[in-house]
Amino acid sequence: MRDITIKTERARVESLFAPYRTTIGEDFDGYRNHVYRCITYAMHFLGDAQEHEHIVETAFVYHDIGLWTDKELAYLEPSEAVALRDNEQYGWGLDPDALRGAIHWHHKIFRYRGENADVIEACRKADWIDATQGLCRKGISRSAIAKVESVFPNCGFHKSLIRLAKDYGGSTLVGGFKVISGIVKW
C-alpha cells in the first residue's frame, strides 16, 4: 500500500470551523485534530482524489458538531441539519445526499452500499480507525496510523466524548447508552 499523505494545513477546514470554534470551546483542539486525522484516512482510501476533498473535509468538520451545537448525544441528525443548512446558506454546491450520507453513516458497523458509496465508505472507515484509536485499522498500517497521530495528537478528544456523555446523559453509563443507541447503524 502507498504511503499516507498528511496535509497539515487545510484552509477550507479552518474556514468551516471558524463560526463554531467558540461553540466547541475547550474541546476544539481535540475535535479539530480528530477531523484532520479522519480526513487524512478517508482521502487515503479515496486515493487522494481531489474531486472528493471538499465533500470529505466538509463532512468531517460537521460529522459530530451536533454534540456542541445541539448538545445532543444522538447527534447525527442535528449534525446533518447544520451541515445541510450551511451548504445551502453559503452556496457551497456540495451534493446534499453525499454530505448527509457521509455524516449519517459514519458509525455504520458494516460496509455501506448505496449511492455515493465511495465517499461514504471512506468516511466510515476513517472514523472507525480514529474512534477506536487504531484498534480497527481498515487496512491502514499501524505505522501510518502512528504517523498521523503524531502529527495530529489526540488532545483529550476521546476523554471529552466521555465527559459529554456524562454531562448530557446524567451519568457515563446512561450517556454512553444514549450515544450508542442514537448513532450506531447496522
Side-chain angles (χ1 to χ4, degrees), residues 11-61:
R12 179 179 184 79
V13 169
E14 298 306 325
S15 69
L16 294 172
F17 264 138
Y20 299 102
R21 189 178 185 124
T22 302
T23 302
I24 298 168
E26 67 180 300
D27 300 324
F28 181 76
D29 290 338
Y31 184 53
R32 179 188 176 275
N33 283 0
H34 167 64
V35 166
Y36 270 80
R37 289 188 303 268
C38 287
I39 291 168
T40 302
Y41 301 137
M43 290 305 296
H44 182 75
F45 289 127
L46 293 165
D48 293 312
Q50 294 304 299
E51 67 265 21
H52 298 303
E53 193 166 40
H54 284 175
I55 193 84
V56 169
E57 289 177 335
T58 306
F60 275 119
V61 166

Side-chain angles (χ1 to χ4, degrees), residues 5-152:
T5 302
I6 299 175
K7 284 186 170 182
T8 58
E9 295 181 24
R10 292 181 174 275
R12 179 179 184 79
V13 169
E14 298 306 325
S15 69
L16 294 172
F17 264 138
Y20 299 102
R21 189 178 185 124
T22 302
T23 302
I24 298 168
E26 67 180 300
D27 300 324
F28 181 76
D29 290 338
Y31 184 53
R32 179 188 176 275
N33 283 0
H34 167 64
V35 166
Y36 270 80
R37 289 188 303 268
C38 287
I39 291 168
T40 302
Y41 301 137
M43 290 305 296
H44 182 75
F45 289 127
L46 293 165
D48 293 312
Q50 294 304 299
E51 67 265 21
H52 298 303
E53 193 166 40
H54 284 175
I55 193 84
V56 169
E57 289 177 335
T58 306
F60 275 119
V61 166
Y62 286 89
H63 79 294
D64 295 344
I65 208 156
L67 280 166
W68 296 278
T69 59
D70 292 55
K71 299 187 182 336
E72 282 289 335
L73 294 175
Y75 57 80
L76 295 178
E77 288 77 10
S79 297
E80 293 168 31
V82 175
L84 293 171
R85 181 200 68 211
D86 286 0
N87 184 43
E88 184 160 326
Q89 180 177 342
Y90 298 116
W92 298 329
L94 297 173
D95 177 348
D97 292 329
L99 184 58
R100 180 185 302 108
I103 295 168
H104 187 80
W105 296 110
H106 79 271
H107 288 149
K108 186 174 184 341
I109 294 173
F110 299 108
R111 181 181 182 89
Y112 175 84
R113 298 176 196 282
E115 193 173 347
N116 303 302
D118 53 351
V119 169
I120 293 170
E121 184 63 8
C123 291
R124 183 191 74 82
K125 292 190 311 187
D127 193 75
W128 273 102
I129 292 168
D130 203 63
T132 65
Q133 296 179 290
L135 288 175
C136 292
R137 296 191 336 245
K138 304 294 184 183
I140 294 185
S141 70
R142 283 183 177 88
S143 63
I145 293 168
K147 183 177 175 184
V148 172
E149 290 175 344
S150 72
V151 174
F152 304 113

